[in-house]
């Protein structure tokens, strides 16, 4: 949030300083945030300490027009000569002036380098190629005015680096090609302002990296080709604003990457070709109207639990062991279709509880969808059933009817298992009828016709059942007092037993009923059953056939 700074100069001494200044900081609403008295020192007195290689202490000091460029010029030093600043401390210091505030080509050594609570006035600020070699580097609660802040090519060898709660106003921020080594680096609750934030080509090591609760004000944010090292990367609860967010080709190595509860604005977000051997966690993150891309990215796991996607999401990854889209809301397209550059290799995909108001582009065979769902260990039968239903609906909406049939079959299979499981759990005594009912549904709907998705399978089942009834009519007269009688006629009387059994079975199964033959004895019961089965199966075949034709 932009602030307003007022200065009240006074001849009143402060500590060893002959003059002082009262610095009042107010927010955009006029509310006073800070009011502090600082001693006034001139830049030349600071230069003399630097020249004498003495520790520089500027705590509670106001310094105008400080510039190492000026220091080099007044001492006839090379423009790129490194200036050592041992035990440099500028807590609650105010660096002011019209000229750029220049700390470039400096080397901070000693125990602590502190700019905590420091204020940098409006105008450019440069730490270009600065080396922070002290044990700790502290920029926490520092205030950077309007103007670019340049940390390009800076190297940080401190064990701990803190920019916690720092405030950048309106200028661009450059951490391009920085080297943070194995330091623990914290940008917790930093307000990066409305300018561009660029960490392009920066290198991190094994330390923890945190941007927890930081705010990017709407400018472009680039972490392109950043080497995040092996440490944990924490962006949870970060607000990214409406600017373009670029993590393309970033290497996260083995560190877990957390964007849990982060808020992304309306800018496009890209992780194209990003690489990690660990996990990306976006659970409960909010996404605006920008697109999200993980094209050709690699990771152990991508987790988007409880997220809402309002625009196109490109998940055509290179390789991910597990993709978790549980309880997400999809309002546009999620693209998982393999390409020559992005094969979308996955071992497991979970999307139970998904509310799909858009479309899920995923190929049943090339994505090996069945294996992705059946390999889920943590989901129930009902959750697997619901996932197949989501696929069935999205395949229908996109006209991929063969894939829809496959998804529908597995949806019904797991629905049957889930219903049986529910019945047995809530009423164990229901096993007496639950198992036979489930078996009957499995045999009739699944095995005979694959839930009316395969008319040829139904026709084949019809042929098998017709043949079984025919053989039954052939065998029954040898074991019981029953037979097929004829209504008359020499041709009918001369038919052999096999022909008679198969012919009678056909006119009974198809309910033609010429009246030429009629059953006697127990065969009447089986004839009644066959007539009912025939009507049902022919109707079943008609439904499956018409369904195929209409598609």
């Amino acid at each position: 949030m932009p602030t307003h700074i007022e200065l009240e100069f006074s001849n009143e001494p402060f500590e060893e300083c002959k003059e002082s200044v009262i610095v009042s900081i107010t927010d955009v609403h006029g509310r006073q945030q800070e009011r502090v008295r600082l001693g006034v020192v001139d830049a030349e007195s600071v230069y003399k300490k630097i020249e004498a290689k003495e520790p520089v202490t500027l705590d509670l000091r106001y310094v105008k027009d400080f510039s190492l460029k000026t220091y080099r010029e007044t001492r006839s030093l090379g423009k790129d000569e490194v200036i050592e600043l041992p035990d440099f401390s500028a807590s609650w210091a105010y660096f002011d002036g019209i000229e750029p505030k220049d700390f470039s080509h400096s080397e901070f050594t000693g125990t602590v380098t502190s700019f905590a609570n420091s204020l940098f006035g409006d105008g450019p600020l440069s730490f270009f190629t600065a080396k922070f070699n002290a044990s700790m580097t502290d920029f926490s609660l520092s205030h950077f005015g309007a103007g670019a802040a340049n940390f390009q090519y800076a190297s940080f060898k401190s064990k701990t680096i803190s920019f916690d709660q720092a405030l950048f106003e309106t200028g661009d921020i450059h951490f391009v090609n920085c080297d943070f080594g194995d330091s623990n680096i914290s940008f917790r609750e930093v307000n990066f302002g409305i300018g561009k934030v660029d960490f392009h080509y920066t290198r991190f090591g094994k330390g923890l990296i945190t941007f927890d609760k930081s705010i990017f004000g709407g400018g472009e944010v680039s972490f392109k080709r950043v080497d995040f090292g092996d440490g944990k990367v924490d962006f949870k609860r970060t607000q990214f604003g409406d600017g373009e967010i670029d993590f393309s080709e970033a290497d996260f190595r083995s560190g877990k990457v957390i964007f849990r509860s982060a808020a992304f604005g309306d800018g496009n977000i890209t992780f194209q070709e990003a690489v990690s051997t660990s996990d990306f966690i976006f659970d409960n993150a909010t996404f605006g109207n920008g697109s999200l891309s993980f094209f050709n990215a690699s990771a152990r796991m991508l987790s988007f639990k409880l997220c809402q996607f309002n625009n196109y999401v490109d998940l055509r990854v290179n390789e991910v062991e597990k993709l978790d889209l549980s309880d997400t809301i999809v309002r546009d397209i999620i693209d998982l279709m393999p390409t020559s550059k992005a094969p979308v290799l996955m071992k497991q995909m979970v999307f139970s509880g998904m509310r799909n108001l858009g479309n899920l582009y995923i190929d049943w065979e090339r994505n090996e969808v069945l294996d992705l769902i059946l390999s889920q260990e943590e989901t129930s039968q009902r959750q697997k059933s619901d996932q197949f239903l989501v696929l069935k609906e999205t395949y229908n909406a996109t006209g991929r009817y063969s894939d829809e049939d496959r998804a529908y079959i597995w949806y019904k299979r797991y629905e049957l298992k889930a219903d049986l499981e529910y019945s047995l759990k809530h009423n164990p005594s229901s096993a007496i009828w639950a198992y036979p009912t489930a078996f009957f549904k499995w045999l009739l709907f699944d095995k005979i016709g694959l839930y009316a998705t395969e008319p040829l399978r139904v026709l084949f089942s019809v042929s098998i059942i017709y043949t079984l009834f025919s053989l039954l009519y052939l065998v029954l007269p040898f074991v019981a007092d029953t037979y097929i009688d004829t209504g008359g006629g020499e041709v009918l009387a001369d038919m052999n037993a096999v022909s008679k059994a198969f012919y009678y079975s056909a006119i009974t199964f198809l309910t033609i009923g010429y009246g030429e033959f009629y059953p006697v004895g127990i065969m009447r019961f089986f004839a009644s059953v066959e007539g009912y089965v025939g009507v049902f199966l022919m109707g079943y075949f008609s439904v499956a056939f018409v369904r195929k034709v209409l598609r």
Side-chain angles (χ1 to χ4, degrees):
M1 179 183 293
T3 57
H4 178 66
I5 299 176
E6 291 186 358
L7 303 177
E8 300 176 32
F9 289 93
S10 169
N11 292 325
E12 182 179 343
F14 179 79
E15 296 181 350
E16 69 270 19
C17 300
K18 296 180 180 180
E19 298 178 358
S20 63
V21 59
I22 295 176
V23 181
S24 300
I25 305 174
T26 57
D27 62 21
V28 291
H29 303 292
R31 294 187 294 258
Q32 189 173 85
Q33 295 179 315
E34 299 287 349
R35 181 179 172 84
V36 61
R37 182 181 293 275
L38 307 178
V40 177
V41 297
D42 62 278
E44 182 59 32
S45 65
V46 180
Y47 297 157
K48 289 179 180 179
K49 286 190 175 184
I50 295 174
E51 189 174 27
K53 299 188 182 300
E54 297 177 3
V56 177
T57 301
L58 296 174
D59 299 343
L60 292 170
R61 295 294 182 265
Y62 172 88
V63 187
K64 189 171 184 179
D65 295 329
F66 177 86
S67 170
L68 290 183
K69 178 182 178 182
T70 302
Y71 171 79
R72 293 186 184 90
E73 290 173 350
T74 57
R75 270 67 178 173
S76 300
L77 301 176
K79 64 178 183 178
D80 295 335
E81 185 168 334
V82 175
I83 307 300
E84 184 178 357
L85 301 173
D87 291 315
F88 190 94
S89 181
S91 297
W92 277 108
Y94 187 175
F95 295 91
D96 198 8
I98 299 175
E99 296 297 321
K101 291 159 281 296
D102 182 24
F103 289 86
S104 62
H105 304 291
S106 56
E107 182 176 2
F108 295 90
T109 59
T111 304
V112 177
T113 297
S114 178
F115 287 91
N117 290 284
S118 288
L119 291 90
F120 298 93
D122 294 345
L125 168 66
S126 177
F127 283 88
F128 182 75
T129 72
K131 299 177 181 179
F132 295 89
N133 295 334
S135 298
M136 179 178 180
T137 298
D138 189 0
F139 279 89
S140 61
L141 292 164
S142 53
H143 184 139
F144 298 83
N150 184 6
F151 286 84
Q152 291 187 66
Y153 293 96
S155 67
F156 296 81
K157 294 184 179 179
S158 306
K159 293 181 179 179
T160 303
I161 304 163
S162 175
F163 282 82
D164 290 350
Q165 299 183 54
L167 171 63
F168 294 85
E169 293 277 359
T170 58
D172 294 340
I173 304 164
H174 301 281
F175 282 90
V176 177
N177 256 310
C178 287
D179 187 352
F180 286 94
D182 292 330
S183 308
N184 291 319
I185 172 74
S186 178
F187 287 90
R188 184 177 283 107
E189 297 185 50
V190 172
N191 189 329
F192 285 97
I194 61 175
K196 177 181 179 180
V197 181
D198 194 352
F199 281 81
H200 210 125
Y201 295 118
T202 289
R203 296 168 298 283
F204 296 91
K206 298 178 181 178
L208 171 66
I209 308 163
T210 179
F211 287 81
D212 183 20
K213 292 185 179 179
S214 289
I215 299 173
F216 296 88
E220 180 184 346
V221 178
S222 177
F223 287 87
K224 185 174 183 178
R225 295 186 180 178
V226 168
D227 182 352
F228 283 95
D230 295 302
K232 178 181 176 182
V233 182
D234 186 357
F235 281 92
K236 65 175 177 285
R237 296 174 290 186
T238 297
Q239 299 180 40
F240 282 94
D242 293 329
E244 303 289 308
I245 312 298
D246 189 356
F247 283 86
S248 60
E249 301 179 64
D251 188 351
F252 293 90
R253 299 199 199 176
S254 61
K256 183 176 289 188
V257 187
I258 300 176
F259 286 87
R260 185 180 289 113
S261 299
F264 295 90
D266 293 335
N268 296 324
I269 308 157
T270 178
F271 286 82
Q272 290 188 21
E273 299 186 30
V275 177
S276 173
T277 57
S278 188
D279 306 335
F280 283 93
I281 309 296
F282 286 84
D283 298 350
N284 206 39
T286 58
F287 295 90
N289 294 318
S291 63
L292 172 63
S293 176
F294 277 84
F295 182 81
N296 204 31
S298 299
R300 184 174 65 184
M301 181 174 74
L302 279 178
S303 180
F304 295 96
K305 293 179 182 177
L306 296 167
C307 291
Q308 176 173 311
F309 301 112
N310 299 312
N311 205 331
Y312 175 72
V313 180
D314 188 350
L315 294 179
R316 294 175 295 172
V317 298
N318 177 39
E319 184 174 8
V320 170
E321 288 189 21
K322 181 178 179 180
L323 173 62
D324 195 338
L325 296 167
S326 302
D327 301 305
T328 53
I329 298 175
V330 180
R331 296 186 179 277
D332 203 277
I333 292 173
I334 292 184
D335 195 348
L336 287 149
M337 298 292 280
T339 69
S340 58
K341 293 184 178 180
V344 194
L345 303 176
M346 293 188 292
K347 293 182 179 179
Q348 191 178 135
M349 176 179 171
V350 182
F351 50 102
S352 59
M354 174 186 283
R355 300 294 179 265
N356 184 19
L357 307 178
N359 282 314
L360 191 63
Y361 279 82
I362 183 169
D363 189 88
W364 182 272
E365 292 184 350
R366 288 191 293 164
N367 287 107
E368 299 180 347
V369 171
L370 184 59
D371 291 338
L372 294 179
I373 297 178
L374 296 187
S375 64
Q376 298 171 9
E377 297 179 355
E378 71 275 20
T379 56
S380 65
Q381 309 278 26
R382 182 71 66 189
Q383 288 173 323
K384 289 183 174 68
S385 170
D386 290 343
Q387 291 174 77
F388 284 118
L389 179 59
V390 169
L391 289 173
K392 185 260 182 194
E393 292 172 345
T394 195
Y395 287 143
N396 177 271
T398 53
R400 289 170 287 171
Y401 299 121
S402 295
D403 286 347
E404 181 198 358
D405 287 346
R406 293 165 179 162
Y408 178 67
I409 291 166
W410 284 97
Y411 157 63
K412 297 301 291 183
R413 285 174 176 172
Y414 272 89
E415 182 186 49
L416 180 62
K417 292 180 180 180
D419 289 344
L420 177 60
E421 185 178 69
Y422 179 85
S423 297
L424 297 177
K425 181 178 179 180
H426 290 81
N427 185 11
S429 62
S430 67
I432 299 172
W433 63 84
Y435 278 114
T437 301
F439 175 79
F440 177 76
K441 290 181 179 179
W442 169 79
L443 179 63
L444 186 61
F445 298 118
D446 191 348
K447 291 304 174 183
I448 289 179
L450 286 179
Y451 295 96
T453 61
E454 289 291 342
L456 291 179
R457 186 183 180 111
V458 178
L459 195 60
F460 178 75
S461 299
V462 166
S463 302
I464 295 296
I465 293 172
Y466 157 71
T467 302
L468 290 176
F469 272 104
S470 299
L471 294 175
L472 180 65
Y473 297 143
L474 183 63
V475 172
L476 273 177
F478 295 100
V479 296
D481 185 16
T482 184
Y483 58 93
I484 300 172
D485 201 356
T486 177
E490 294 182 1
V491 175
L492 297 177
D494 292 339
M495 289 181 68
N496 59 50
V498 174
S499 299
K500 186 185 296 184
F502 276 84
Y503 179 69
Y504 174 73
S505 180
I507 60 176
T508 303
F509 190 92
L510 299 173
T511 64
I512 296 175
Y514 288 126
E516 301 168 302
F517 293 107
Y518 54 89
V520 176
I522 195 174
M523 201 174 288
R524 291 176 178 174
F525 169 76
F526 292 105
S528 301
V529 172
E530 184 182 16
Y532 177 81
V533 171
V535 170
F536 177 82
L537 289 181
M538 294 313 297
Y540 196 6
F541 170 76
S542 299
V543 170
F545 181 75
V546 170
R547 187 170 181 269
K548 281 289 185 183
V549 170
L550 291 178
R551 291 185 170 188

